[in-house]
Structures are given as C-alpha cells and as structure tokens.
Amino acid sequence: MSASLPRLGRWAPQHLWLFFLTGLAIGLRFQGLDRQALWVDEAFSVKYAALWGALRFEQLLENLHGPLHAALLHLWAACFGRSEFALRSLQAVIGAGTVPVLYWALRPATS
C-alpha cells in the first residue's frame, strides 16, 4: 500500500501566493520603520491621539487623518508602546493587510 498525499484543491497555489505576497508586504513595510524621526503629520497624529493622557472627543475631530485613526492609534499605543517603531507599525499592518483584501475584492472579477 502506498500512502497518498491529501489533495489540496485547485485554490492552494493561489493561497500560497497570497501568503507569500502578504509576507513580502509585511517585510517591506517593517524594514527600517524606525530609521527616521517622526514627520510633522505623524507628530500631529500623536498629539491628537492623546498618547500621554485621556482621549477627548474634540481631539478626535481635529485630527488630520480623521477620528478613527486617532482612536486606533491611541489603542495601539496602549497595547504596543509609544516608540516610533510601535506608532508606525499600525500603518504598516494596515498597509500589509490591503494585500489580502485586494485579492478578496478582485477575486470575483477574475474567476
């Protein structure tokens, strides 16, 4: 008797490519993330996210990037710290997450 490998299905190579491309996107976005000091728009995001105090509703509405960004950055900093790398990693994770989202959004158009 010979043992046969389980069938992966016709979607497996596409998912392997998706995992590879998502991993590549993560690697590229995290490479040298803390090489430079915070830029002006990042400093304003830190200010409006109230990382060293209570987050007020008025600060959320004044943020250049919108209220959702300031609220997410406030929560992210509470979980991962306030270093430049930690603050920028929120945008890096969101940016890398666009790879599988774009694949999912375009999949019906290609199949």
Side-chain angles (χ1 to χ4, degrees):
M1 287 184 6
S2 65
S4 63
L5 295 175
R7 290 184 160 221
L8 296 176
R10 64 183 179 103
W11 54 268
Q14 295 164 350
H15 285 248
L16 291 177
W17 275 108
L18 180 61
F19 286 126
F20 172 74
L21 290 176
T22 304
L24 182 65
I26 290 170
L28 289 174
R29 282 169 175 78
F30 276 91
Q31 179 187 8
L33 200 59
D34 58 350
R35 240 183 246 158
Q36 296 180 349
L38 291 177
W39 292 23
V40 174
D41 62 330
E42 293 171 323
F44 276 112
S45 293
V46 167
K47 175 187 174 214
Y48 292 125
L51 301 184
W52 289 274
L55 185 61
R56 294 188 340 252
F57 185 71
E58 296 83 26
Q59 288 174 310
L60 289 176
L61 297 178
E62 293 174 358
N63 189 0
L64 299 171
H65 301 290
L68 182 61
H69 180 263
L72 285 175
L73 188 60
H74 184 82
L75 294 172
W76 189 268
C79 293
F80 298 105
R82 296 179 176 107
S83 68
E84 291 174 2
F85 183 87
L87 294 174
R88 287 182 174 148
S89 65
L90 171 63
Q91 284 75 259
V93 168
I94 292 171
T98 61
V99 173
V101 169
L102 187 63
Y103 170 80
W104 175 78
L106 294 177
R107 196 175 74 173
T110 59
S111 56

